[in-house]
Amino acid sequence: MDTTPKIVLQNPYRILGIYANSPKKDIVASKGKVTAFLKVNRSLELPFDLKGILPPINRSLEMIDNAEASITIPKEQIKYAQFWFLKISPQDEVAFNHLFAGNLAYAKEIWSKFDSLSSLQNRIICYLIENKPSLAVKDAEKLYASFGDTYIHSIDDSCTLHLTGRELLHQFIDSLGEDIGMQNLLSYDFCEETQAYITRNTTEPLINNILSEIERTKKVSHSNAKARIEAAKKLIKNTKDDIITLKSIFKENNPQYQLIADKLGLEILQCGIDYFNNSEEEDRHQTAMKMQKYAQSIVVGTLARQRCEENVKILQRMIDELPPREVFKYEQYINNKLSRFVVNESPRLLSIANDELDRAKKLLMDCGPYLGSIKEILGANHPYYLKTSTNIVNIILSKVIDVVNRSLEKINLSIGYNRNSVIEQTRETIKKAWLLTLMMDKMNIDPSYNRDRYIPNRETLSDILIKAKIFTGKPDAIDLRSEKQMLSEIKTISDCEYFISVFPESEHKAEVDEKKRIIRFKTCNCLKDCHDLEKDYPNRKAEIDKLRDKIIFGEFERCETIDEFESFINNYPNCKYITEAQERLDNLIRTKRRKRIVYTIIWTLLALFVAGLLGYSIWSSNHRRELEKQAAKQAEYNLYSNIVNKGDTSSCARFLDLYPNSNYIGEVKKVLEEYEYHHLTSLDDCLDFISNHPHSVFATSIDSMISVRAENLKKEILDTPADCDLDEMWKIIRKYSSYNNKSLQLAVTAITDHYNQIKEIQQAKAEKARKDSIKKVEEAKKREEYEKYGTDANAWKTAKAEDTMTGYKEYLRRYPKGRHVQEANKNIIDLEVASVISSGNYGHLPSSQQISYGRGKNSTIHLTNSSGKTITILYSGVKSMKIVLEAYQSRTIILPSSSYDVVATAPGVRSFYGTENLIGGEYESEYYISTTRY
C-alpha cells in the first residue's frame, strides 16, 4: 500500500526477510542466501515481501549490507523492531501462514483474539499497513504499558539497551511522527499523557522556528528601510504556516499562543514602522499598512491589539491626507525643503538676520517650479494646491516677522556709538524683508489666511517702510513655470542645464538630454566643439564628420594669404580640400618670388651706389681697430712686467680677470701662488690653499702646517669646560670633517669623542633637572588633591561648590560609603531632571492614574514597562529616586506624598517630562514607546 509508512516498507528486517526477533544465525543465513542470488544477478522472493499487500523490494548488495548494519546498533535495532513482525507463540505461526498467503484480514483476526506481546506488536504493523495510525498508537499504548519491561529481551536476549515502557512508547511515536508527520497524529483521541507528548513534540519546533525568525529580524538595522521591510516579508513567509498551525492547536485563549502571537505581530509592526520612518519610496504608506494590518490580524493580547490599532489608525489618517498621486513627487520635494529650512534655523542674532532672509528667499525660489507643476496638474483653486502654497508663505512670513521684530528690538537695546550701525543694519533687513514680501504677493494663498494673517502683516511692514523712509527696488521674479512648461520653452544649452538643476530627478531627463544634443549640434562652429561632441556622443560619428567637414570648408574659403594657407595645410593635412589649398599656396608663392626678384635688382643697384660712398669710411674704421689692438697688447705686457719684474702681486687678480687667455697666465699664477703661500696664517687659509692649488709645489709643506694647526685646535677644544656651548663645537666638527687630511681627521675624531662626553654630561644634568621639576609638580598636585578630596568633608565641600552631576559622581566614586551618599544621589537625580527641563527638548509625560485613594504620608506607584527597551524613570522632589525598568518589567515604589518632576528616558528615544502630585493612595503608570512620526 502506498500509504504505508516508509519505516515499515523499508524496514531492515523486511529487506533481510526475517522476523524482528529472529536469532543471529537466521539473520546470517538469510543475508547469505539473498547475497548469493544477487551476485549471480538472480532475483529472490521472500515471504516477508508480502506480495499483494506491500509494494515489491528491489534489493541490492549495498541495501543488504546497510540493513544488516542498521540492526547491529542496539538503539536502531529496537527502533526498527518496533515496526516489524514478531513470532513467539503457535498462534503467530497460523497467522503468518495467512499473511504470507496474502490474507492480511485473517491474520489480523487471529491476533485480535489475544493481547499478548506478539499479537499486539503484529496488530500494530497490520494497522500501519492499512494506514490506521490511530489504532496502531492505541495498541502501542497497551503493548508498552503491559510488556514494556520484557519487550527488549523478547527481541534480543543479548541486547544491552534499557528503556522503560514510556520511553519505548515515546520512541515509537517519534519514529512514526517523523515518517507520517507528528501533526497528523493530533486529530486522534489518545490517552492524556500520549496526547500531551504528541502536542508538545508538534508545537515546540514551530514555536522555536518562530522565535528564531523573530530574533533574526530584530538583528536587522532599524535605520535601513529596505532591509527592514525585506526582513518583515521573510518573517511573514517563514512563520505564516507555523502560526496558523499553532492557532489551530492552542486556540486564541491559550497563554502560550498569545505570547508567541503577540511577539510575532509586534515585531512585524515594528518593521513596518521602521520602514515607513526611514523610507522615501512613494508607496511606503501602503507597504507599511500591509505590515500593520497583518500584525493586527495576528496579535491576541489587549495591549498588543491596542498598539496595532493605534498605529493602523495613525497611518490610515496619513494615507487619507496624502496628496494626489500625480503630484506626490513635487509635494515630497517641497516638504523636504521646508523640513530642512525649519530644522536648520540659524541662531537668533541680528548679525545674521540678512542671511536668514536670504535662506527664506532661496526656499521660495526653489519651491516655485514645483509649486507651479502642482498648480498646472490640479488647478489654481484646488484645495491641496492652495494648502501647499499657503504653507510655504506661512513659513516664510513667520521668518520675516521674527527677523524684523528682533531687528527692531535690537535698536531699542543699543546705546552709544553702536546705535547708528544697528539702525543701518535694521534698515537693510527691513528692505530685504519687504522685497521678499513683494515676491510672496505672486503666490496663490488661501483667502482666509490672506485676509486674517498675510494682509495685516504686510500692511504693518509697509507702514514701517514708509515711516523709516526706506526705498527699495524691484523684487526678484519667482520662476513659477511648471515642469512641462519649462520643458517646452527650452531653446539653449543653458535652458537645458537650468531644467536639470531644478528637476534633477525628472522623468523627462532623457528628452532634455536629447534637446541639449540637438542644440549642441546646431551651434557647433569649431573643431573643438566637434571633438567634445565625439566624446559625448560616440555613436553619432557620421553626423559629427559632416559638421567637421563643413567647418573645415568654411576655414578653407576664408584663407587669402600664404600664412593662412600654410596654417590650413598644417592643421588639416588629410582633408579633401588639401590639393586645392596646396595649388593656391603654390600660386601665391610664385607671385611672391617674382616680386622678390624685381625688388632684389632694384636694391642691388642702390647698394652699389651706396658702397661707393661708404668705401672710404670702412677703410678708416679698420685702421683704427688695428691701432687699438696694438695698444691693448702693449698694456697687457706692461702689467705682466710689473707683476714678474717688480713683484706687484696686487695686480695678479686684475690680470687674471682682464686676460684669462693670455700667454703669460701660467707665470702670473705661479707668482700669485708663491705670494699666498708666504702669507698663510690660519688652518682655514691652509685648507683653502690646498683646495685652490691641489698640485702646488708647496703641498708637502702645507700638510705639515695643517697637522700643527689641527693639533693646536684639538688641544684648545679639549681644554673647554663641561658647560661649554656644544653648538659651536658641533659647527667645528661639521666644518672640518669633510676635508681629506689624515692629521685633521684624527683631530676631528678626538674632538667628536670630547663632544659626545660633554653632551652626555649635559644631558644627565638636564634629565636630573627635569625629574626634579616633575617631582615638584606632582607634589603640588597631591597637596591640591588632598585639599579637595583628602577627607569626606573636603570632598563633599568640593562637590557642593561645583554643584554638578560630575562633581557629585566624583564624590561617590571616592567615598561610596560616605556620610553624604544619599544627598549626593538625590542631587544627581535632581540635576539630571533639571537638565532635561531646561533643554526644552522633551515630550509630554502624562500623570499616573490613581487607582485607590487615601490621604497618607506616602503614596504607592505601580510602574510597568510595556516596551521592548530599557526605560529609566527619574522622580525629583522631597525624595528623589531613579528606577530602571528592563523590557516588559514591572516594579512598585513608595514615595512621600508631594509634588514631583518626573522624567522618562529610553535609548534612541527623546526624553519625556511631566509632573506628579501625589496625595496618598495607589497610582498606576504604564510606559510604552509609540511611534507617532507618520
Side-chain angles (χ1 to χ4, degrees), residues 26-83:
D26 290 350
I27 297 174
V28 173
S30 180
K31 179 190 174 186
K33 182 179 180 181
V34 174
T35 302
F37 272 79
L38 289 174
K39 284 183 177 180
V40 294
N41 294 324
R42 289 180 60 189
S43 61
L44 175 65
E45 276 191 15
L46 298 175
F48 274 120
D49 287 356
L50 300 182
K51 186 176 180 181
I53 298 175
L54 292 178
I57 303 176
N58 186 18
R59 292 180 178 86
S60 65
L61 291 173
E62 182 181 2
M63 182 187 294
I64 297 301
D65 291 337
N66 291 338
E68 182 188 26
S70 297
I71 61 176
T72 57
I73 303 169
K75 186 172 178 62
E76 295 295 302
Q77 177 188 7
I78 300 305
K79 170 186 170 183
Y80 288 115
Q82 288 179 294
F83 291 90

Side-chain angles (χ1 to χ4, degrees), residues 115 153 193 206 326 335 353 367 451 475 606 684 716 730 732 777 784 793 827 850 865 869 889:
D115 281 344
H153 290 293
E193 193 277 335
L206 303 178
E326 58 268 25
N335 286 342
C367 293
R451 178 185 65 252
L606 289 174
D684 291 345
E716 178 185 350
W730 181 248
I732 293 172
V777 172
E784 182 182 355
N827 290 348
Q850 190 169 13
N865 179 6
K869 296 187 177 183
Q889 183 184 9

Side-chain angles (χ1 to χ4, degrees), residues 481 486-504 506 508-520 537:
R481 292 179 297 166
M486 199 178 292
L487 178 67
S488 65
E489 295 177 0
I490 290 178
K491 290 184 173 54
T492 65
I493 293 177
S494 297
D495 292 342
C496 296
E497 292 173 348
Y498 175 70
F499 180 91
I500 295 300
S501 68
V502 174
F503 299 103
S506 174
H508 304 291
K509 194 172 181 180
E511 184 180 350
V512 173
D513 289 341
E514 178 61 18
K515 287 192 174 189
K516 184 178 180 180
R517 183 195 67 76
I518 294 171
I519 295 170
R520 286 184 64 184
Y537 307 102

